[in-house]
Amino acid sequence: MIKFEQVYKQYKGNEQCALEDINVFIDRGEFVFLVGPSGAGKSTFLNLILKDFDPTRGTVYVDDVDLSTVKGNTVQRMRRRMGVVFQEFKLLEGKTVYENIGFAMEVLRRDKKTIQRRVMRVLQLVGLENAAAKYPQELSGGERQRVAIARAIINGPDILICDEPTGNLDPRTSLGIMKLLENINKLGTTIVMATHDKPVVDAFKKRVIILERGHLIGDRKGGYFY
Amino acid sequence: MSMILNFFRDAYLNIKRNLLMSMASVISVMAALIIVGVIAIIAMNVTFIVDEVESNLEMKIYMADDQPEASVEEIGSRIQANAHVTELAFVSKDEALDEFASWFGKNEQLLQGYAEQGNPLPSSYVIKVDNAENLDQIYKEFINIEGVEDIVYGQEYVSALLKFNKMINTVSIVVVLILSIISLFTIYNTIKLTVFARRGDIDIMKYVGAGKLYIKMPFILEGSMLGVLGALVAVLLLRNIYAMVLGSLKLGTVMPLSASLAPFGLVIGPISYWFLLYGFIIGAVGSLISVSKFLRT
Ligand SMILES: Nc1ncnc2c1ncn2[C@@H]1O[C@H](COP(=O)(O)OP(=O)(O)OP(=O)(O)O)[C@@H](O)[C@H]1O
Ligand SMILES: [Mg+2]
């Protein structure tokens, strides 16, 4: 599903590589934690999967497609197969919960009926069926993250990319979000999640990939935080 | 349809949010266009006057005296054949003398001597041309022809007028270029602020796989709205200024000077049309550059 082959990423103006010689294979249906101290290169790893930029050296494959060869509209088509969740939720403030989620389908020019049906269903899945008409400002952090997750999965992505989705949440709320993600994973979506959250990683016993200063220093099945 | 309405609503909301910078953009486009407009009005008037003068400009081609009528006619048809000649009239020796005589009115006896010695005035072709710039070429083409005695037109006057016209046109092109760059830059920066304020939204649109044009559209719309708004204010101001100039010239003098200025519609019509288009393009291009720079991938 996702494969990194001798991947290096060096940002302009930085001497140090953000990622160095990364070799990883993530299979369909896996749930992978990406851990490591701040600046280790976790976000860079995720951004490469999203094709925010190409690696300086090496190759990133998604479904055997070399991402650096993907150009133009195909980039958008590629991204439609992925969902993204961020630490800071990134909801549109002027739009209701319903609109925020529906927006991701509107962009793909889906018709109103389909949008309505799917939004209501996904709201149910994330446990927010009563919040459709509310605005993000009226929601708690955990609820906002649920909206963001709903938006990320509304188009039925094959891969869900999460960059510290519990970073702004208290432990109990984090647990709820993690259970939700685990459910989504069970429905077949591959999940790659960068996190600092030791209790979460320890509790869920998934595959853990450990980065430090750009190097991959550990990769354990059912592992614990380093 | 609702998608397009959404684009407009977003653009409107962004302008409201960035009111100060948006106003700066509008004012920048407006100021640029007023300066361009004043120069354009001067240039259009110069062109108008040049046209006026041109269409009244005559060239006289004098025939040599000692040639058969057939050869004079042949020269006439050659002149007629020139593509730049719009009017052609033949003035015979007798007509030339009559005209000459009419200047003297009653003192016809002064001319008696001429009549006796034979008419000394040459026959000529009086022509008008499409464009004063072609006079020189026509002069060169016919001056050396057998049977042409001389060619006369207001050489110095015409070339001075043409030079002035060219200079005004060059100046206006340079000014338009410089001011365009300034306006473009202001709009570019305004939209950059909007892009920055909405970078979260752009990220989201990007990650849900929205097409690039879909993402860019509200920003392009916002920029072109600013450009058109600036152009609109400039056009309204220029209309009033030119109407005032024409009006005051008419009232103030016995012989209306405004009669020789380009009429209101001839000037303001194209200015309105081109300026609105210009505002639209400057706004669209400025914002397109701005948002494209942000949306590399
Ligand atoms: N856009 C950028 N330009 C230049 N350097 C960058 C950029 N983004 C990240 N870096 C650098 O690359 C390295 C890895 O950054 P990255 O954001 O991938 O780390 P991270 O593991 O996600 O950290 P955190 O846990 O704080 O989010 C850091 O040294 C960072 O300073
Ligand atoms: Mg990060």
Side-chain angles (χ1 to χ4, degrees):
Chain A
M1 173 118 275
I2 301 167
K3 191 162 72 175
F4 279 58
E5 231 173 52
Q6 292 166 39
V7 169
Y8 291 73
K9 173 65 195 177
Q10 186 171 18
Y11 287 106
K12 267 204 192 84
N14 281 16
E15 239 174 74
Q16 181 84 27
C17 278
L19 287 178
E20 264 188 89
D21 195 21
I22 302 296
N23 293 281
V24 172
F25 178 73
I26 296 170
D27 211 349
R28 189 176 292 274
E30 273 197 87
F31 193 129
V32 179
F33 286 123
L34 202 58
V35 302
S38 195
K42 302 184 293 294
S43 296
T44 306
F45 187 99
L46 298 182
N47 288 332
L48 282 168
I49 301 173
L50 291 165
K51 196 182 158 72
D52 268 333
F53 36 68
D54 288 325
T56 314
R57 256 200 288 159
T59 320
V60 178
Y61 298 93
V62 172
D63 275 347
D64 295 324
V65 177
D66 175 354
L67 286 187
S68 67
T69 64
V70 178
K71 294 264 143 51
N73 286 336
T74 324
V75 177
Q76 274 94 51
R77 223 170 312 136
M78 201 86 205
R79 286 197 182 124
R80 287 172 197 171
R81 301 185 40 219
M82 308 183 194
V84 200
V85 179
F86 302 96
Q87 177 173 357
E88 64 274 25
F89 321 132
K90 296 204 181 179
L91 300 176
L92 304 172
E93 294 294 324
K95 290 188 153 95
T96 63
V97 166
Y98 181 92
E99 288 165 338
N100 262 286
I101 301 168
F103 170 75
M105 288 181 79
E106 235 169 68
V107 154
L108 306 187
R109 311 265 170 89
R110 309 302 290 266
D111 63 284
K112 274 211 163 91
K113 272 230 176 87
T114 317
I115 294 179
Q116 192 174 11
R117 196 154 23 87
R118 291 267 285 275
V119 171
M120 291 326 279
R121 206 167 60 207
V122 89
L123 274 174
Q124 227 161 16
L125 181 70
V126 301
L128 283 178
E129 50 274 67
N130 297 323
K134 288 193 176 164
Y135 286 88
Q137 307 88 280
E138 305 172 304
L139 301 178
S140 72
E143 288 167 331
R144 286 187 210 191
Q145 195 57 296
R146 284 170 190 274
V147 176
I149 291 170
R151 180 182 60 200
I153 61 170
I154 186 86
N155 289 315
D158 299 327
I159 303 169
L160 186 60
I161 305 283
C162 308
D163 198 348
E164 308 193 27
T166 59
N168 282 346
L169 306 176
D170 62 66
R172 251 194 49 179
T173 315
S174 296
L175 208 68
I177 292 292
M178 284 311 300
K179 290 223 166 98
L180 175 59
L181 289 177
E182 199 174 32
N183 278 335
I184 292 167
N185 175 243
K186 277 184 185 143
L187 293 172
T189 307
T190 308
I191 296 186
V192 185
M193 168 173 160
T195 184
H196 275 129
D197 203 333
K198 180 169 162 45
V200 160
V201 176
D202 288 344
F204 280 81
K205 299 203 168 44
K206 305 285 182 192
R207 178 177 171 191
V208 181
I209 293 173
I210 307 167
L211 293 174
E212 206 177 284
R213 273 192 256 127
H215 293 276
L216 197 155
I217 60 164
D219 185 349
R220 300 195 278 262
K221 292 269 179 204
Y224 293 83
F225 211 81
Y226 55 99
Chain B
M1 197 55 221
S2 81
M3 191 175 90
I4 294 168
L5 283 181
N6 276 347
F7 284 153
F8 272 103
R9 195 197 57 185
D10 281 358
Y12 168 73
L13 288 176
N14 281 334
I15 290 174
K16 240 173 73 175
R17 171 157 49 188
N18 267 343
L19 200 57
L20 215 61
M21 270 308 278
S22 298
M23 266 162 60
S25 293
V26 171
I27 289 171
S28 153
V29 172
M30 183 197 78
L33 282 181
I34 285 176
I35 297 170
V36 171
V38 168
I39 292 173
I41 287 176
I42 293 172
M44 283 163 103
N45 272 292
V46 170
T47 305
F48 179 80
I49 291 166
V50 167
D51 276 353
E52 199 92 305
V53 170
E54 260 175 14
S55 60
N56 289 318
L57 210 61
E58 289 179 345
M59 179 183 250
K60 284 195 167 118
I61 304 178
Y62 291 104
M63 299 296 105
D65 245 346
D66 48 2
Q67 59 182 323
E69 234 169 81
S71 122
V72 171
E73 269 166 31
E74 199 235 305
I75 295 173
S77 54
R78 281 179 70 172
I79 297 169
Q80 182 92 66
N82 187 295
H84 299 301
V85 175
T86 54
E87 274 178 48
L88 174 120
F90 182 67
V91 180
S92 68
K93 286 174 71 77
D94 289 345
E95 283 165 344
L97 190 63
D98 283 350
E99 195 184 329
F100 186 56
S102 72
W103 293 346
F104 290 89
K106 291 270 181 246
N107 303 328
E108 271 179 38
Q109 58 273 40
L110 281 173
L111 299 168
Q112 285 302 317
Y114 285 130
E116 280 152 22
Q117 285 164 26
N119 181 354
L121 295 175
S123 63
S124 62
Y125 286 101
V126 180
I127 63 168
K128 289 185 178 177
V129 299
D130 55 355
N131 190 328
E133 283 179 51
N134 298 319
L135 284 169
D136 199 41
Q137 186 208 323
I138 293 173
Y139 177 85
K140 285 194 182 115
E141 188 180 333
F142 290 102
I143 190 65
N144 289 323
I145 282 182
E146 183 85 45
V148 172
E149 178 80 32
D150 196 8
I151 298 181
V152 176
Y153 66 101
Q155 280 96 328
E156 298 81 21
Y157 178 61
V158 168
S159 72
L161 204 57
L162 287 177
K163 247 187 214 154
F164 185 61
N165 196 15
K166 276 214 176 94
M167 190 197 74
I168 285 276
N169 285 337
T170 313
V171 166
S172 35
I173 287 170
V174 170
V175 170
V176 166
L177 278 180
I178 293 172
L179 293 176
S180 295
I181 290 167
I182 294 173
S183 307
L184 203 68
F185 195 69
T186 320
I187 294 217
Y188 166 82
N189 276 311
T190 307
I191 301 301
K192 202 159 108 182
L193 278 191
T194 306
V195 168
F196 190 73
R198 295 195 57 201
R199 64 194 185 288
D201 302 9
I202 294 178
D203 268 353
I204 290 164
M205 288 196 257
K206 187 171 123 181
Y207 289 131
V208 298
K212 282 200 176 171
L213 196 65
Y214 182 97
I215 300 178
K216 288 175 183 174
M217 202 43 97
F219 299 100
I220 296 173
L221 211 61
E222 180 184 341
S224 34
M225 269 159 84
L226 294 177
V228 168
L229 207 63
L232 200 66
V233 179
V235 165
L236 289 178
L237 281 172
L238 287 169
R239 278 178 86 103
N240 287 326
I241 291 171
Y242 197 56
M244 241 162 60
V245 169
L246 288 181
S248 71
L249 286 177
K250 248 183 201 132
L251 285 177
T253 46
V254 183
M255 215 176 59
L257 194 58
S258 63
S260 63
L261 285 183
F264 184 78
L266 196 72
V267 169
I268 295 303
I271 279 189
S272 308
Y273 174 75
W274 284 110
F275 278 22
L276 290 178
L277 190 69
Y278 172 96
F280 177 81
I281 290 173
I282 287 278
V285 170
S287 45
L288 183 65
I289 297 173
S290 199
V291 68
S292 297
K293 232 177 141 178
F294 183 82
L295 202 66
R296 273 283 152 71
T297 49

